[in-house]
Amino acid sequence: MGGVLVLVEPDGGVESSAVALAFGRVIAGGLGELLGAAAIGPVADGADDALPALAGGHGATHVHHVRHPLLDDYSPECWGEALAQLVAHTEPRAVISPATARGTEVMAQAAARADLPLATNCLTVSPDSRAWQLSRIRQGGMLIEDAELTAGVVMMTIAAGAVPPDDAGPTAVSTSGTAQVVSYTPEFDTSFVHSRVVDRSAQESGVSLTTARVVVSGGRGVGGAEGFLPLEELAKLTGGAVGCSRVATNNGWRPHRDQVGQTGSKVNPDLYIACGISGATQHWVGCMGAKHILAVNTDPDAPLVTRATHAVIGDVAEVIPAVVEEIHRRARRT
Amino acid sequence: MRIMVCVKRVPASGGAPQLTEDGRGIDTRHLSFTVGPHEECAIEEAVQLVERFGGSVTVLTVGPAEAEEQLRFAISLGADHGILVEAGPDEVDPQATAFALTEAIRDGEAASGAPFDLIMFGNESPDAGHYQVGVRVACALGRPIVGGVKGIDVDPDAGRVRFRRDTPGGAEVFEAALPAAVAVREGLNLPRYPSMRGRLRARKAEITELRPHVPAGGLRRIRLRVPEQQRPETVVLGHGASAAPAVVDLLEELEVV
């Protein structure tokens, strides 16, 4: 027994799973333990090889594939209980998952059921014989917390954007090839209390806020729902998505789904165009992952203007239509 | 319906947080306090459900004595009762918080002889953001819980509730039997402001205070720090509409047009 176990999401987040596996590999290497992966529920059709390849490519020797009729669709309680049983069965030193919405929910369920502590949104982790030292995101990223975790099994989720530690020399883990798949079937009482998915709908087509290369976002300075029309046009021309600040959703100008910020979506586009957004902390933590930020604001001292890479000082209602017109003018010229 | 809403006293977010000199916590001397936006929506939803189906809303918090302020705020919005589990000035870890909440809920349910139909949480606190207290309480009480919820549809007669939440690719709807628990997100509703009558009621309301022994969990905060941030020199591309060519130059440079 022992080892380090990484919960992967072959359907939902290959990238975030890869980051969690990279963390797991270094931790396992440092401890001289084997790296294993765990996947819960059915794997999408034709993706049978993806799971062992994903895990094996990151140094895992084996993948626990956890199957049961109650796990055929997602249920937080069933998935969490299944992970808790797998942990009891395999007795790993640590369990790691990406800090996705689902990863976090399953880990919280498993930690609660196993009566273990859980550190979420970790940025760095270093094993220690007494207590593990870690740092984690607080306040949406405005602060970092250094903490100690003392537990029989260390459970943590790795923050999106955390940088995996450097591989530390010779390790006990294999470095290539595919991992061996080991089936595991948890046991459920017939009276097991759980919620279940009864309906699922896909988002209307369009560019998704969280994956868009360009996000054109509007706030108080846009002035109203109609003020977003030029922003939508600019988003269309740049292949981007439209976002907004909390002020815009609270005034009913945009649906909450469009909100960028601590209580909305966190975005990391190549370019974030902030139109009439002053940039309160709650908003800043949602857009600070952008590579470039262009702030359009009448106030040259607005927090977002001073934090942006580029700024235009002026009224959104004048600047954005002029930018749209300039794009059209250049397109006609060529 | 009897609904329990769990809330946390947190600093009102504004500018960059100031740390204490030893870095162990936040300098709260010049801060005002609030409940997080997710929890404000939880209170609003609970009040709306009771307005529709009858019943009562109880708000519960674990924290310093001053957290009474947040309970009175919830009462001013329409909640009926407040329970404060006094845990001293230091931040309580998520396992201990869940333990204290669970005990208080069990006491409340034992006193009335019936479970709360719905126990509500914010999806995560805006300061610590542990994403797990609601799940721990629900598991300890043997209730189903769904997180990230932005839509609640209760059918008290059928003893059933539906929860809707956004997913990266769309939305999903869960069904659970009552009694149940839920962790909600901002966007669930638009919370009301306290009315004058609500404020008066809140001022007079009696707050139940508990001081149980709460064992510490395995996660211990050592210190807080402000992450290094690259503050770029802002390039001002121009003023007003005349800045448009410079903006489009930037868009071309980034290859997005």
Side-chain angles (χ1 to χ4, degrees), chain B residues 226-242:
Chain B
V226 179
E228 284 173 34
Q229 273 177 17
Q230 292 168 342
R231 276 288 185 96
E233 199 63 37
T234 306
V235 179
V236 177
L237 297 175
H239 289 71
S242 65

Side-chain angles (χ1 to χ4, degrees), chain A residues 74-77 102 104-105 108-113 115-121 124 130 133-151 193-203 208 210 213-214 234 237-239 246 249-252 256-257 259 261-266 270-271 273 280-282 284 288 292 294 304-315 318-319 322-324 326-327 329-330 333, chain B residues 8 11 13-17 19 26 36-38 40 91 94-95 124-133 135-140 142-148 150 162-177 179 185-191 193 217-257:
Chain A
Y74 178 64
S75 157
E77 300 86 2
R102 185 178 281 190
T104 304
E105 189 171 47
Q109 280 279 349
R113 289 165 192 280
D115 196 20
L116 289 166
L118 167 67
T120 53
N121 270 318
T124 64
R130 192 179 54 86
Q133 311 294 312
L134 56 89
S135 63
R136 57 180 299 276
I137 287 179
R138 270 178 84 102
Q139 238 163 296
M142 289 301 286
L143 286 177
I144 292 173
E145 169 185 350
D146 294 320
E148 277 186 356
L149 185 58
T150 314
V193 173
H194 65 95
S195 58
R196 62 191 180 90
V197 175
V198 290
D199 190 26
R200 191 167 271 141
S201 55
Q203 196 182 344
S208 155
T210 49
R213 274 193 68 208
V214 178
L234 180 57
L237 290 168
T238 55
R246 195 155 175 247
T249 49
N250 279 356
N251 283 321
H256 188 271
R257 208 187 163 99
Q259 186 181 314
Q262 193 178 353
T263 52
S265 297
K266 293 190 175 58
D270 289 343
L271 177 63
I273 305 177
T281 303
Q282 127 88 21
W284 171 247
M288 65 185 180
H292 304 270
L294 167 62
L304 203 55
V305 173
T306 60
R307 283 170 155 163
T309 51
H310 299 81
V312 172
I313 309 307
D315 189 339
E318 290 171 15
V319 176
V323 169
V324 167
E326 176 68 12
I327 294 171
R329 198 182 64 79
R330 293 192 192 184
R333 203 179 49 189
Chain B
K8 180 183 181 186
S13 75
L19 299 182
I26 292 180
H38 298 326
E40 246 185 89
E91 186 172 85
Q95 282 173 291
E124 85 279 356
S125 63
D127 57 346
H130 288 298
Y131 291 84
Q132 57 187 272
V133 168
V135 172
R136 287 185 187 278
V137 173
C139 285
R143 314 270 160 92
I145 181 165
V146 178
K150 281 197 189 173
R162 287 192 168 195
F163 300 123
R164 187 187 57 75
R165 72 176 179 193
D166 294 338
T167 60
E172 51 193 10
V173 178
F174 290 79
E175 187 173 290
R185 296 198 60 176
E186 188 183 46
L188 175 67
N189 51 44
L190 275 181
Y193 291 101
L219 183 64
R220 195 169 72 89
R221 183 174 99 188
I222 309 291
R223 77 182 71 77
L224 301 178
R225 56 196 160 90
V226 179
E228 284 173 34
Q229 273 177 17
Q230 292 168 342
R231 276 288 185 96
E233 199 63 37
T234 306
V235 179
V236 177
L237 297 175
H239 289 71
S242 65
V247 171
V248 180
D249 286 348
L250 173 69
L251 298 179
E252 286 179 349
E253 192 188 315
L254 297 175
E255 297 177 357
V256 294
V257 283

Side-chain angles (χ1 to χ4, degrees), chain B residues 3-213:
Chain B
I3 303 177
M4 173 69 92
V5 185
C6 300
V7 300
K8 180 183 181 186
R9 175 180 170 89
V10 295
S13 75
Q18 297 293 314
L19 299 182
T20 53
E21 269 177 31
D22 64 2
R24 286 175 55 83
I26 292 180
D27 187 346
T28 56
R29 284 172 301 176
H30 309 293
L31 287 178
S32 61
F33 288 83
T34 178
V35 300
H38 298 326
E39 290 171 1
E40 246 185 89
C41 288
I43 297 165
E44 175 65 35
E45 195 74 8
V47 171
Q48 284 184 20
L49 285 171
V50 165
E51 282 169 352
R52 186 166 158 209
F53 297 111
S56 66
V57 178
T58 306
V59 274
L60 168 62
T61 192
V62 176
E66 293 81 7
E68 184 189 323
E69 188 192 337
Q70 279 60 52
L71 295 176
R72 292 196 191 278
F73 170 72
I75 292 169
S76 76
L77 296 176
D80 301 281
H81 313 291
I83 304 173
L84 168 67
V85 181
E86 220 193 300
D90 293 334
E91 186 172 85
V92 186
D93 73 77
Q95 282 173 291
T97 304
F99 177 89
L101 292 172
T102 304
E103 290 299 297
I105 293 169
R106 280 196 178 124
D107 284 355
E109 295 188 339
S112 69
F116 289 98
D117 297 290
L118 195 59
I119 304 172
M120 304 183 69
F121 301 87
N123 196 55
E124 85 279 356
S125 63
D127 57 346
H130 288 298
Y131 291 84
Q132 57 187 272
V133 168
V135 172
R136 287 185 187 278
V137 173
C139 285
L141 295 169
R143 314 270 160 92
I145 181 165
V146 178
V149 167
K150 281 197 189 173
I152 298 179
D153 182 10
V154 188
D155 185 343
D157 295 331
R160 174 165 62 68
V161 60
R162 287 192 168 195
F163 300 123
R164 187 187 57 75
R165 72 176 179 193
D166 294 338
T167 60
E172 51 193 10
V173 178
F174 290 79
E175 187 173 290
L178 296 174
V182 63
V184 305
R185 296 198 60 176
E186 188 183 46
L188 175 67
N189 51 44
L190 275 181
R192 70 192 72 182
Y193 291 101
S195 64
M196 192 49 78
R197 219 165 95 198
R199 283 204 187 115
L200 284 172
R201 203 164 66 96
R203 206 183 299 164
K204 288 188 215 143
E206 204 166 298
I207 303 288
T208 307
E209 288 180 26
L210 307 172
R211 279 188 195 78
H213 170 71

